[in-house]
């Protein structure tokens, strides 16, 4: 029975080593997950901060531009209205007053053209004069808001803020891509390509679950060792034979259920093959 005791002591030591190695792998995975979560939060907050700053600077830039566009639009509309009134006057006066009316119409037309040119040069378009009494896409207020927003996008302060927001977004995407690569690399190192491919890395198959199974196996082996040590030699031999037969059957059922685990990072940086807990007789 001394050989059996020595064999069980060796199996207990092996099970404890595997439990410790899987627990170390679980710690590596947990530390990576937390590190990735912290980096994700930092990068995401940087994006939110840059976007908030962009919105603030954009609103600050637009407000005075809207006021100026409204004023310029009113100047143009007033000039256009005076031209229209002068045109109507030329059709309402008699022959003797016609020449004076035409001069007033010409003067008003010149002012309207000058106002139009100035607004075009400043804003790229002119508002609707509202002559027909209804609001349109180019009515003064919506026109002013639109052209002000368009010009605000070209201001240096807004352009710089947009570049910062774009950079923060790109850095977040790069961080996420790196996290996916690092998570995949560590998963392959811990579980091996086969288990990773078939998804045997979650629930009871994850590193914590496997460490727990190895600890449980070590406990079962210690109980079995204590039992045979306490029994007389004859009875102990019978227990060993029965246990080996039962374990052989259990191993046959489990052999395909627990695939070999390869390349788990060890304390020394090396990798080695191992399998899940086996029977007492292995």
């Amino acid at each position: 029975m001394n050989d059996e005791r020595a064999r069980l002591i060796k199996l207990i030591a092996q099970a404890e080593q595997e439990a410790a190695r899987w627990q170390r792998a679980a710690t590596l995975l947990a530390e990576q997950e937390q590190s990735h979560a912290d980096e994700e939060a930092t990068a995401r907050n940087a994006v939110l901060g840059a976007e908030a700053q962009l919105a603030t600077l954009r609103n600050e830039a637009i407000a005075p531009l809207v006021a100026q566009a409204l004023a310029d639009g009113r100047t143009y509309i007033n000039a256009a209205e005076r031209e229209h009134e002068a045109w109507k006057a030329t059709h309402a006066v008699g022959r003797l007053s016609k020449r004076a009316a035409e001069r007033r119409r010409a003067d008003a037309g010149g002012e309207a053209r000058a106002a139009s040119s100035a607004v075009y040069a400043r804003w790229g378009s002119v508002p609707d004069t509202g002559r027909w009494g209804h609001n349109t896409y180019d009515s003064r207020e919506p026109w002013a808001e639109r052209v002000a927003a368009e010009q605000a996008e070209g201001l240096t302060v807004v352009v710089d803020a947009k570049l910062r927001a774009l950079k923060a977004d790109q850095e977040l995407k790069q961080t996420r891509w790196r996290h996916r690569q690092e998570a995949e690399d560590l998963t392959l190192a811990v579980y091996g390509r086969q288990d990773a491919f078939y998804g045997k890395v979650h629930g009871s198959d994850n590193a914590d679950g496997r460490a727990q199974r190895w600890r449980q196996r070590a406990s079962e082996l210690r109980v079995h060792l204590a039992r045979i040590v306490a029994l007389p030699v004859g009875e102990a031999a019978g227990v060993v034979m029965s246990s080996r037969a039962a374990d052989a059957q259990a191993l046959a059922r489990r052999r395909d259920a627990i695939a070999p685990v390869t390349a788990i990072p060890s304390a020394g940086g090396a990798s080695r093959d191992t399998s899940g807990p086996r029977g007492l007789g292995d």
Side-chain angles (χ1 to χ4, degrees), residues 133-149:
H134 57 270
N135 291 327
T136 68
Y137 175 76
D138 284 323
S139 292
R140 189 171 69 102
E141 287 78 9
W143 169 84
E145 291 176 359
R146 186 175 71 254
V147 297

Side-chain angles (χ1 to χ4, degrees), residues 27-28 80 92 112 115 119 193 262:
T27 299
L28 288 174
V119 173
R193 187 168 299 276
T262 60

Side-chain angles (χ1 to χ4, degrees), residues 201-277:
V201 298
H202 305 294
S204 62
D205 285 327
N206 68 12
D208 278 320
R210 298 186 190 206
Q212 177 59 34
R213 288 204 299 274
W214 279 111
R215 285 193 293 268
Q216 182 179 351
R217 192 56 179 158
S219 178
E220 291 172 352
L221 288 167
R222 282 192 291 269
V223 170
H224 184 64
L225 175 61
R227 182 183 179 192
I228 64 174
V229 167
L231 289 174
V233 174
E235 292 183 28
V239 170
V240 170
M241 295 298 293
S242 298
S243 295
R244 288 192 175 187
D247 288 341
Q249 294 176 356
L251 176 62
R253 292 192 300 268
R254 277 200 317 270
R255 190 174 296 276
D256 294 332
I258 303 178
V261 179
T262 60
I264 299 177
S266 62
S271 301
R272 60 193 177 111
D273 290 348
T274 186
S275 302

Side-chain angles (χ1 to χ4, degrees), residues 32-43:
Q32 184 191 69
E33 183 178 3
Q34 184 60 54
S35 174
H36 285 178
D38 292 342
E39 290 183 358
E40 165 82 14
T42 299

Side-chain angles (χ1 to χ4, degrees), residues 14-35:
Q14 290 174 346
E16 289 174 341
Q17 289 173 359
E18 290 303 318
R21 193 160 65 94
W22 275 114
Q23 192 59 58
R24 186 168 61 252
T27 299
L28 288 174
L29 289 165
E31 288 176 347
Q32 184 191 69
E33 183 178 3
Q34 184 60 54
S35 174

